[in-house]
Amino acid sequence: MSNSFKSARPDPLLRIDAVYKSYAKGAPVLRGIDLEMAAGERVVVIGPSGGGKSTLLRVVMGLEQIDDGAITFAGASYVTVTGRRTRIDARVRRSIGMVFQNYTLFLHLNVVGNLILAPCKVNGESRKTATARALTLLDRFGLAEKADAYPSQLSGGQKQRVAIVRALMLDPALMLFDEVTSALDPELVAEVEQVILQLAGQNLPMIIVTHDMWFARRIASRVLFCAEGRIIEDGPPEQVLGSPRTERARDFVHRVFHIGG
Amino acid sequence: MDFNFGLIWKFAVPLAQGLGTSILLSLICMALGSLLGLALALARSSPSRLLRLPAVAFVELFRGTPVLIQLFWVFFCLPLVLGFEPASFTSGVVALSLFTGAVTSETFRAALRSIGSEQRDASVALGLSRWTRMRYVILPQMALRATPVLLSNSITLFKETALVAAVGISDLMSVGENISNSIGRPVEILTTVAVVYFVIAFPFTRIVTLLEKRLLRKLAL
Amino acid sequence: MNYVYDFASVFRNADTLIDGLSLSLEIAAAANLIAVFGGFVIALLLLSPSRLIRLPATLFVEFFRCTPFLVQIFWFFYCVPMLLDVYLSSRALGILALSLILSTFNAEAFRGAVQAVPRDQIDAGIALGLSPFQRVAHIIFPTALRLVIPVLLTNGILAFQTSSLLSLVAVEELMFSGKMLSAKIYRPIETFTVVALIYLVVSLPVSQWVGWLERRRVRAER
């Protein structure tokens, strides 16, 4: 095995090539991101606020326009830039699921309604089979009795668990978690992290942005340290979280473990 | 000075007919006006300037001028546009529907804006097409949020229909004014008219408040 | 459509409209001045801890909010002189009627604003040892006023537009002048278009200002 992390991976699941992104006002948020991720990996992205972590996930999900670069999923290029326009292939994007920091359940639909909307409307699945699948999944994650509840009747932790199940309904080949526990009360964090660990146990590839270093250490197979729109460190969790090579990362990890721990 | 409120019973029938006209006018204009308002709100949130600017101009015009003058204006302009003289009720319907369109477009627009961008993000992440997102995520939530305000708007409209008395439509106000003038009993008649308007509008405002509370709970805002 | 527009004859009689406009502005300005004060006083009554004060005040406000302006104005012009046996000029009656209408609207705005003053602001005032009156004067009132100014301005425009109803009880304001002029020159469309534009030109800057104030507040709260 070569000592370069990249070439150790055959056949990338996700490949990000030189992605640049800036918002209309202000400094660029992504300044040349390159990343290859293999099918078995669970990548945790850490770093200071405003360093581009969330934007990176949103770009992978195809929620944002980018200035330059390309993203390929399982060999199919789905985020490309021609001229000034970002083109996104919605078919490829369907293989990716995402859960957000804010509660994003559809407030006018109950839990089952939230779960079956996309399967019925996007994949043309029948209401009956989608509902049956929804109930099975809810049961597996201990949410069976909440099937008819509306989002306003759920706790924050339950909302996020339902949001995860909603994404799973579409059988994603890659899951993105964008600070999914940041808005939660501390006592509700564990139940959500438990669900993500459960998915990790099934070898579902995922990219996780989190501020919870203990969770990061537990779940990651690989850790990226992101700051100022660049990936500054990239390696196994023991290394990036334990003995970072750069001053920036060392400083950050030290401070977070001290304050957060 | 003596007042005789008993005499209003003699005029119960014409007053009731007037009230019927006021309510009918409100219902028709609310229906037409809301459709117009929805269209205007969507046009105003469109990325195309060609749709946005005329919609903005329309709303500013109808919100920046008194309803009375809108009534007069439609009254004199409509025959020119149509080429024949329509019934005054028709002119009243057109004018108040245009006004209601401007008012409800603000309601729909506010409802649309109150839907957070995270709902759009979630829809995109779930692979919903633009149309599915509009039809199954955005519009239902907009309708929910707009409903109490639309009901308030309809109270406003019900009150504004009193202005059609000025262009000769026999609504509650106009009937009351005529009776009051002909028998010289403004205190009895006008007070009765005011009470009738109140008795209809006030319970409606309570319903709106209740509905708003329930809705806020449901949407957990 | 072979109608030939003739705006020139309207502009030839512009002085009639200008007279009307100045009376409209005068009435609206006076009503606004009275109603800022009146609205605040009624709001205090609405927020009174005593039922005996709160209920009549609420009924009063609700009655105004749930009946048409036109009915209120007619009632005021025909019934008030009869009931109170006082005979005021139509201008004074117009100002009074409009002030009352506007006061009830401003009262609702003030009430909402006073309730919207964050509890911790008041707590901070208590913690700093301010007396109840000082808390009202230095914390509640300024905070509420800042919240309420856009609504007061919006209500002010509404009052200006509502003043057009006074034309129906023969107050010679802008709308009345417009009706007179259109009857005189037989040009209703042109006259009413010009009158509508005058209302718009007065209202629009204020509503734009309100929009600006609100956008600024939203930005500041972020």
Side-chain angles (χ1 to χ4, degrees):
Chain A
M1 221 194 252
S2 110
N3 48 6
S4 154
F5 222 77
K6 249 185 199 172
S7 55
R9 269 159 255 281
D11 221 16
L13 177 72
L14 181 76
R15 192 189 147 110
I16 304 176
D17 278 316
V19 166
Y20 289 81
K21 154 98 191 154
S22 53
Y23 288 106
K25 295 173 204 166
V29 254
L30 299 181
R31 315 180 189 211
I33 299 278
D34 292 288
L35 181 71
E36 270 185 22
M37 178 185 169
E41 287 189 302
R42 291 182 301 279
V43 177
V44 169
V45 187
I46 60 166
S49 306
K53 306 177 307 264
S54 284
T55 307
L56 177 59
L57 282 202
R58 293 176 61 82
V59 163
V60 171
M61 190 67 242
L63 292 168
E64 300 280 349
Q65 305 271 311
I66 57 175
D67 303 339
D68 200 9
I71 308 181
T72 307
F73 185 82
S77 159
Y78 71 103
V79 178
T80 48
V81 179
T82 40
R84 305 180 89 192
R85 278 189 66 88
T86 305
R87 292 187 184 283
I88 291 156
D89 185 335
R91 278 176 185 284
V92 177
R93 180 169 63 183
R94 269 182 218 168
S95 311
I96 306 174
M98 182 163 179
V99 182
F100 299 83
Q101 173 180 359
N102 302 322
Y103 309 128
T104 55
L105 296 183
F106 301 130
L107 303 168
H108 62 298
L109 298 174
N110 66 11
V111 167
V112 169
N114 265 280
L115 298 195
I116 67 173
L117 180 65
C120 291
K121 299 301 164 194
V122 179
N123 300 342
E125 193 176 344
S126 78
R127 269 188 91 82
K128 213 174 134 193
T129 62
T131 307
R133 281 203 306 124
L135 294 175
T136 314
L137 270 180
L138 286 173
D139 193 40
R140 189 185 308 161
F141 292 99
L143 289 160
E145 76 274 28
K146 296 293 176 191
D148 297 322
Y150 278 86
S152 56
Q153 297 163 319
L154 302 177
S155 73
Q158 288 164 340
K159 280 184 214 175
Q160 288 301 59
R161 281 151 68 201
V162 172
I164 295 172
V165 175
R166 182 172 71 175
L168 294 178
M169 285 292 288
L170 296 165
D171 286 322
L174 169 66
M175 276 296 294
L176 311 176
F177 295 99
D178 185 10
E179 299 192 33
V180 291
T181 58
S182 298
L184 296 179
D185 290 336
E187 73 272 20
L188 301 176
V189 168
E191 62 179 87
V192 176
E193 292 182 341
Q194 197 52 50
V195 171
I196 302 176
L197 285 167
Q198 207 174 325
L199 297 176
Q202 297 160 17
N203 268 329
L204 180 62
M206 50 183 79
I207 307 178
I208 303 165
V209 170
T210 183
H211 287 295
D212 183 340
M213 293 303 139
W214 303 102
F215 180 60
R217 178 165 274 178
R218 244 184 110 184
I219 198 161
S221 67
R222 178 180 175 191
V223 176
L224 308 180
F225 177 74
C226 245
E228 284 152 8
R230 292 193 187 87
I231 296 173
I232 292 182
E233 293 218 19
D234 177 354
E238 317 78 67
Q239 183 226 303
V240 178
L241 298 174
S243 50
R245 272 176 273 186
T246 59
E247 179 88 20
R248 284 277 340 234
R250 204 177 308 138
D251 195 44
F252 176 81
V253 170
H254 180 74
R255 263 185 303 157
V256 188
F257 268 105
H258 262 265
I259 297 163
Chain B
M1 200 178 295
D2 59 321
F3 299 115
N4 176 11
F5 275 90
L7 67 83
I8 59 161
W9 295 114
K10 276 201 290 186
F11 304 102
V13 173
L15 285 174
Q17 282 168 342
L19 176 62
T21 305
S22 295
I23 291 176
L24 184 66
L25 202 56
S26 306
L27 291 177
I28 296 174
C29 296
M30 196 60 210
L32 295 176
S34 304
L35 287 177
L36 176 62
L38 181 59
L40 285 168
L42 293 177
R44 284 182 78 177
S45 62
S46 140
S48 151
R49 242 163 200 275
L50 226 68
L51 285 174
R52 218 166 52 222
L53 284 184
V56 170
F58 178 91
V59 173
E60 292 293 347
L61 182 67
F62 277 83
R63 290 184 57 83
T65 56
V67 185
L68 188 58
I69 206 161
Q70 294 165 18
L71 270 168
F72 277 116
W73 202 74
V74 167
F75 219 75
F76 289 109
C77 283
L78 208 54
L80 275 186
V81 176
L82 296 175
F84 64 92
E85 190 111 354
S88 51
F89 189 81
T90 312
S91 295
V93 165
V94 171
L96 288 177
S97 297
L98 293 177
F99 165 72
T100 308
V103 172
T104 55
S105 83
E106 298 274 320
T107 305
F108 284 121
R109 202 166 74 107
L112 202 58
R113 289 177 135 195
S114 69
I115 300 172
S117 65
E118 74 276 359
Q119 296 274 321
R120 189 200 80 98
D121 288 346
S123 308
V124 173
L126 288 171
L128 303 184
S129 67
R130 190 183 286 265
W131 163 246
T132 311
R133 182 168 80 217
M134 199 65 186
R135 167 75 182 75
Y136 293 96
V137 178
I138 306 297
L139 285 180
Q141 292 193 50
M142 174 170 94
L144 269 179
R145 283 163 197 259
T147 302
V149 193
L150 282 178
L151 288 175
S152 289
N153 293 157
S154 63
I155 303 171
T156 307
L157 172 63
F158 175 62
K159 292 188 293 170
E160 295 289 354
T161 59
L163 296 183
V164 300
V167 291
I169 298 172
S170 300
D171 72 321
L172 178 58
M173 177 69 208
S174 153
V175 171
E177 190 194 343
N178 286 339
I179 296 171
S180 148
N181 285 342
S182 60
I183 65 168
R185 289 272 182 185
V187 176
E188 290 89 339
I189 302 296
L190 290 180
T191 307
T192 305
V193 168
V195 168
V196 172
Y197 276 110
F198 178 77
V199 162
I200 292 176
F202 180 69
F204 223 79
T205 61
R206 297 299 100 175
I207 295 172
V208 171
T209 314
L210 280 178
L211 206 76
E212 228 159 11
K213 274 191 192 135
R214 280 190 53 180
L215 199 71
L216 288 182
R217 249 208 322 273
K218 175 164 180 193
L219 295 180
L221 297 171
Chain C
M1 280 223 303
N2 46 12
Y3 185 84
V4 182
Y5 291 98
D6 174 20
F7 280 97
S9 52
V10 180
F11 293 122
R12 236 175 284 129
N13 291 285
D15 49 338
T16 317
L17 296 182
I18 290 169
D19 287 347
L21 174 63
S22 72
L23 183 57
S24 287
L25 287 174
E26 185 194 319
I27 291 176
N32 266 292
L33 211 65
I34 298 174
V36 168
F37 181 72
F40 187 66
V41 171
I42 297 174
L44 292 182
L45 299 180
L46 289 174
L47 288 167
S48 157
S50 154
R51 244 166 191 275
L52 233 65
I53 298 173
R54 211 169 56 226
L55 278 183
T58 308
L59 191 69
F60 180 79
V61 170
E62 290 296 345
F63 203 83
F64 270 87
R65 292 179 66 93
C66 290
T67 51
F69 297 142
L70 190 57
V71 176
Q72 293 161 16
I73 286 170
F74 268 71
W75 199 89
F76 214 81
F77 271 71
Y78 289 120
C79 302
V80 166
M82 222 179 210
L83 291 168
L84 302 179
D85 210 18
V86 284
Y87 291 88
L88 296 168
S89 71
S90 62
R91 165 191 308 216
L93 269 177
I95 290 174
L96 277 180
L98 206 57
S99 304
L100 263 180
I101 293 173
L102 186 56
S103 294
T104 58
F105 275 76
N106 285 353
E108 277 295 310
F110 268 117
R111 187 179 65 157
V114 169
Q115 285 175 329
V117 174
R119 177 70 219 180
D120 47 6
Q121 298 269 311
I122 301 167
D123 289 347
I126 297 172
L128 289 171
L130 299 182
S131 74
F133 177 77
Q134 286 172 321
R135 292 202 292 271
V136 171
H138 297 296
I139 298 170
I140 300 175
F141 187 71
T143 316
L145 192 67
R146 216 189 42 174
L147 288 172
V148 91
I149 279 177
V151 191
L152 290 185
L153 288 171
T154 306
N155 289 353
I157 306 172
L158 184 75
F160 173 62
Q161 294 184 5
T162 306
S163 71
S164 65
L165 301 192
L166 296 172
S167 67
L168 300 175
V169 285
V171 178
E172 295 176 5
E173 45 66 76
L174 178 55
M175 185 73 199
F176 188 87
S177 317
K179 271 167 52 177
M180 288 295 124
L181 184 58
S182 82
K184 182 176 149 200
I185 62 176
Y186 303 110
R187 287 286 174 188
I189 294 179
E190 291 86 339
T191 313
F192 288 126
T193 303
V194 171
V195 171
L197 287 177
I198 296 175
Y199 278 107
L200 187 67
V201 163
V202 176
S203 308
L204 207 54
V206 185
S207 68
Q208 294 295 321
W209 186 27
V210 172
W212 181 80
L213 282 175
E214 268 165 0
R215 276 194 301 278
R216 202 182 58 164
R217 201 183 67 207
V218 168
R219 263 205 309 275
E221 276 167 7
R222 249 181 222 150

